[in-house]
Amino acid sequence: MRDEILDLKDYKKIAVMGGTFDPIHYGHLVAAETVRHRLGIEKVLFVPTGRPPHKNNRNVEHDEHRYLMTVLATANNPYFNVSRIEIDRPGMTYTIDTIQSLKKICSDETEIFFITGADAINEIMTWKRVGELLRICNFVAVTRPGYDKDSLLRNMTGVENDYRINITFIEVPALAISSTDIRNRVIAEIPIKYLLPDEVEQYIIKFGLYKTAFENKPFFTFINQKLHTVLTPERFAHTQGVAYEAVNLAKVWGVSAEKAYIAGLLHDCAKDFDDKETLSLCYDYGVELDEIIKRQLYLAHSFLGAAVAEKEYLVTDSEILNAIKYHTTGRAEMSFLEKIIYIADMIEPNRPFYSGIDDIRKAAYEDIDKAVYLALKQTVDFNNGRNRIIHPLSVLAMNYYENHFIASK
Ligand code: ATP
Ligand code: MG
């Protein structure tokens, strides 16, 4: 329903459920319905976001799809409506602007509630004009599975004290559903049925949403399905980003796109093991760890990753295996594929912003050795700042690429 048809003046209590809804799922719907019933809300307005400042650089191009999926999902609930207010607004989207616009089409007596998930409330302090926002609407925080409730309550107390307002806290049935995981499942060809309304599932299929950008081959599906079982949803999404970026770089630098895709997918295949599993797998696969790696075990995942890729994902190509092996430390005289994976890891589209990322992104497509040098320097500085020991391979690589890149000038 278009906003102009919806007359909000008639209501005393409305709630806004904001989100990317990419796609909308039962977690969102159950949260909204629970809050509506509990607080006696007359209308819940689902507001698909425009360009959210909190979402990282992910491509949120298909606003219309997100809007239509939200309409389909909410059509059978008389208390639910969808608003285009954010997707029709050009530029960055801030919640404060949305609530203020809504206030103008509501009556003075209308109370506005803002429903937000537990993960979002933690970011609240960073929102634009948060004090004002908290004053003009009532925040309702819903719990989300896997979330540390105590830290949520601590943070909420902090917000309440700072702004002297109340936040209503409502627990909703634990649903471990996230849009990230649904997108990951589509890529890996794993069922999404029963995680979201049938109509939305049909819509996703009809328009081929979220499908992998690269060619569909049984071997790739095998890798993606296996990765989906061992990686967290966020790591899986990062992996897709690296594979995508690596394919683009491969096309520019004359490397096999297929090799780049496989290496990108598998670069972190050993990263979500705990320390015990990491050590026992290193032992099983004969991966030797030097003293520095033993003391900083997070470095082991790339060396172990190469072994896991070979033994469990049946990769035989030594170029791919080396690209996985050296993606964390780097090394002097890397092959093009090694350089591509090293850089793709640092600049893939899901990477949260860090200072220097734009320079590395630019150099990656113009002067790859410069990009490698910048990326190494970024990593070394970051780890120095955390008082970590820099692995000698990285020190050697940085010296090598510094000279190399200066020599090429
Ligand atoms: P993504 O995985 O892309 O971050 P998401 O599943 O978190 O997507 P959003 O569109 O970011 O969905 O979420 C919109 C709102 O719904 C947020 O406030 C979020 O915290 C909340 N939310 C998301 N999933 C659930 C769930 N399973 N249960 C309760 N609330 C949820
Ligand atoms: Mg989210």
Side-chain angles (χ1 to χ4, degrees):
M1 186 186 281
R2 299 271 157 170
D3 292 351
E4 54 271 26
I5 309 173
L6 181 68
D7 191 358
L8 294 175
K9 284 198 172 37
D10 297 345
Y11 303 110
K12 296 261 177 300
K13 272 182 167 189
I14 65 162
V16 170
M17 174 88 195
T20 324
F21 304 130
D22 193 13
I24 189 165
H25 53 69
Y26 282 135
H28 300 128
L29 294 164
V30 167
E33 180 66 0
T34 306
V35 172
R36 178 198 72 75
H37 179 251
R38 207 61 103 62
L39 301 182
I41 307 275
E42 294 155 284
K43 197 56 105 179
V44 179
L45 210 53
F46 285 72
V47 184
T49 51
R51 302 275 174 275
H54 294 291
K55 292 273 158 174
N56 33 35
N57 286 326
R58 230 175 57 72
N59 184 353
V60 197
E61 280 311 315
H62 56 182
D63 294 355
E64 214 57 40
H65 283 316
R66 293 188 293 114
Y67 169 74
L68 288 172
M69 287 190 285
T70 310
V71 170
L72 284 174
T74 54
N76 62 2
N77 188 325
Y79 300 104
F80 288 179
N81 277 90
V82 187
S83 168
R84 299 182 60 90
I85 190 164
E86 289 202 4
I87 56 169
D88 283 347
R89 188 191 298 139
M92 281 293 204
T93 305
Y94 294 99
T95 305
I96 180 76
D97 302 327
T98 303
I99 302 290
Q100 277 179 336
S101 309
L102 284 178
K103 267 196 150 337
K104 286 189 196 127
I105 47 173
C106 291
S107 80
D108 291 345
E109 288 92 66
T110 313
E111 249 190 298
I112 302 182
F113 292 78
F114 186 81
I115 308 172
T116 180
D119 54 348
I121 199 95
N122 277 339
E123 295 177 352
I124 209 172
M125 298 309 288
T126 65
W127 286 9
K128 184 182 161 194
R129 285 151 59 199
V130 60
E132 198 178 340
L133 180 64
L134 287 163
R135 248 173 278 120
I136 62 172
C137 63
N138 308 292
F139 265 68
V140 184
V142 297
T143 52
R144 208 177 167 174
Y147 216 78
D148 178 358
K149 200 172 150 190
D150 290 341
S151 91
L152 170 72
L153 284 169
R154 261 198 312 279
N155 283 340
M156 280 176 51
T157 315
V159 174
E160 285 179 277
N161 288 344
D162 287 351
Y163 296 100
R164 283 183 225 94
I165 46 89
N166 279 311
I167 293 174
T168 312
F169 178 61
I170 293 182
E171 221 165 309
V172 301
L175 279 171
I177 305 175
S178 73
S179 306
T180 304
D181 186 53
I182 291 173
R183 295 192 300 271
N184 292 345
R185 283 165 181 261
V186 172
I187 291 166
E189 296 181 19
I190 291 168
I192 57 171
K193 221 177 206 11
Y194 311 126
L195 299 175
L196 74 185
D198 269 347
E199 293 81 355
V200 180
E201 185 191 357
Q202 292 310 321
Y203 188 96
I204 291 170
I205 295 168
K206 177 172 175 184
F207 291 99
L209 303 187
Y210 314 124
K211 279 212 172 300
T212 171
F214 201 63
E215 211 181 327
N216 214 353
K217 285 194 176 179
F219 183 53
F220 301 159
T221 308
F222 157 75
I223 293 178
N224 277 320
Q225 293 201 338
K226 199 165 158 54
L227 284 176
H228 188 268
T229 64
V230 295
L231 299 182
T232 62
E234 291 70 28
R235 180 99 53 216
F236 186 95
H238 163 66
T239 285
Q240 295 300 323
V242 173
Y244 164 85
E245 193 82 48
V247 167
N248 286 344
L249 286 166
K251 287 177 185 158
V252 170
W253 297 108
V255 170
S256 150
E258 188 160 320
K259 285 190 189 192
Y261 182 69
I262 295 171
L265 285 185
L266 289 173
H267 81 289
D268 270 351
C269 68
K271 198 160 180 179
D272 284 331
F273 298 137
D274 62 27
D275 287 358
K276 209 170 141 230
E277 285 170 312
T278 300
L279 287 170
S280 95
L281 277 172
C282 283
Y283 179 80
D284 289 350
Y285 293 151
V287 178
E288 296 199 7
L289 303 174
D290 62 36
E291 285 312 309
I292 294 178
I293 301 180
K294 278 186 198 152
R295 282 172 65 179
Q296 304 179 137
L297 208 56
Y298 58 88
L299 288 174
H301 79 274
S302 45
F303 298 90
L304 176 58
V308 170
E310 187 179 1
K311 309 274 199 258
E312 298 182 18
Y313 292 83
L314 316 174
V315 174
T316 50
D317 185 287
S318 61
E319 258 198 285
I320 296 177
L321 296 175
N322 278 335
I324 298 168
K325 188 169 178 180
Y326 296 106
H327 86 267
T328 307
T329 56
R331 62 168 173 170
E333 298 187 67
M334 288 192 269
S335 71
F336 266 96
L337 187 61
E338 288 174 39
K339 291 191 265 197
I340 283 171
I341 299 303
Y342 188 83
I343 295 167
D345 192 14
M346 301 278 292
I347 62 166
E348 60 99 359
N350 300 308
R351 264 267 176 218
F353 178 82
Y354 58 86
S355 129
I357 192 169
D358 292 337
D359 293 338
I360 304 176
R361 277 209 174 108
K362 189 164 176 291
Y365 288 89
E366 291 170 359
D367 181 346
I368 193 162
D369 286 339
K370 179 178 175 183
V372 170
Y373 169 70
L374 292 176
L376 277 160
K377 188 158 170 6
Q378 169 76 34
T379 308
V380 168
D381 289 349
F382 173 81
N383 285 294
N384 273 332
R386 294 182 145 203
N387 289 324
R388 288 170 171 171
I389 309 164
I390 308 301
H391 197 279
L393 280 174
S394 308
V395 178
L396 288 172
M398 204 165 92
N399 292 337
Y400 176 88
Y401 283 100
E402 182 166 25
N403 291 326
H404 203 76
F405 139 67
I406 289 167
S408 72
K409 295 283 111 179

